[in-house]
Amino acid sequence: MARVLVLNGPNLGRLGVREPEVYGSESHADLAAAVEIWAKELDLEVEVRQTDDESTLVGWLHEAVDARAHVVLNPAAFTHYSYALRDSAAQVTTAGLVLVEVHLSNPYARETFRHVSVIGPVASGTVAGFGALGYRLALEVVAARP
Ligand code: DQA
């Protein structure tokens, strides 16, 4: 069974409270519960984690490489400027693992600083603008892998 780490970055622990008009009314726990149901349906072993800390995220990406786990990553604000996270994400994809960059909102329809992703170029692909459904689509990409 393929293993997937679903990693959520800074402020995503505030889902439901934080700008609900942008991110919806579901909490991070609601999102994690939905991801776990979807993973079961798709026959994937999933673990959902959230941190506000850049070095913790970097460590989790190293762990994914070492454990041969695919990654669904919402890097949140780190998307736009963290070269450290980019370098860690690149290690996942160059190891032959899938890394799907996910955003709940569509950053390209928002402020200009959100139009740049330093993660996108080293990801397998990006899903943005579909809310929690983006995580389901990302898991489907992993499940469809030969
Ligand atoms: C986000 C978009 C980012 O620009 C923002 O900093 C976030 C969440 C999203 O899921 O839409 O924290 O990654």
Side-chain angles (χ1 to χ4, degrees):
M1 189 187 285
R3 192 167 165 220
V4 189
L5 291 184
V6 175
L7 306 178
N8 289 319
N11 297 301
L12 293 170
R14 302 290 295 162
L15 287 176
V17 178
R18 171 194 186 200
E19 299 175 84
E21 66 288 356
V22 177
Y23 298 113
S25 56
E26 289 193 351
S27 67
H28 188 269
D30 295 334
L31 173 66
V35 165
E36 275 158 25
I37 289 167
W38 293 331
K40 224 170 244 164
E41 287 170 8
L42 293 164
D43 217 18
L44 296 170
E45 186 189 326
V46 80
E47 206 182 314
V48 183
R49 303 179 189 173
Q50 189 275 327
T51 182
D52 294 334
D53 182 57
E54 187 180 24
S55 71
T56 300
L57 270 179
V58 165
W60 286 346
L61 291 171
H62 296 169
E63 183 188 328
V65 173
D66 293 343
R68 302 292 306 162
H70 302 287
V71 176
V72 173
L73 174 65
N74 185 339
F78 292 144
T79 304
H80 312 300
Y81 66 90
S82 174
Y83 297 124
L85 206 57
R86 175 197 167 109
D87 286 349
S88 312
Q91 291 171 54
V92 175
T93 47
T94 57
L97 297 159
V98 174
L99 183 144
V100 185
E101 178 191 10
V102 172
H103 299 284
L104 293 158
S105 68
N106 178 1
Y108 301 102
R110 302 179 62 196
E111 302 97 320
T112 48
F113 78 85
R114 296 185 203 277
H115 296 181
V116 171
S117 169
V118 299
I119 307 296
V122 298
S124 310
T126 300
V127 183
F130 302 110
L133 182 59
Y135 289 79
R136 158 115 204 168
L137 298 172
L139 291 175
E140 285 188 15
V141 168
V142 176
R145 212 172 151 270

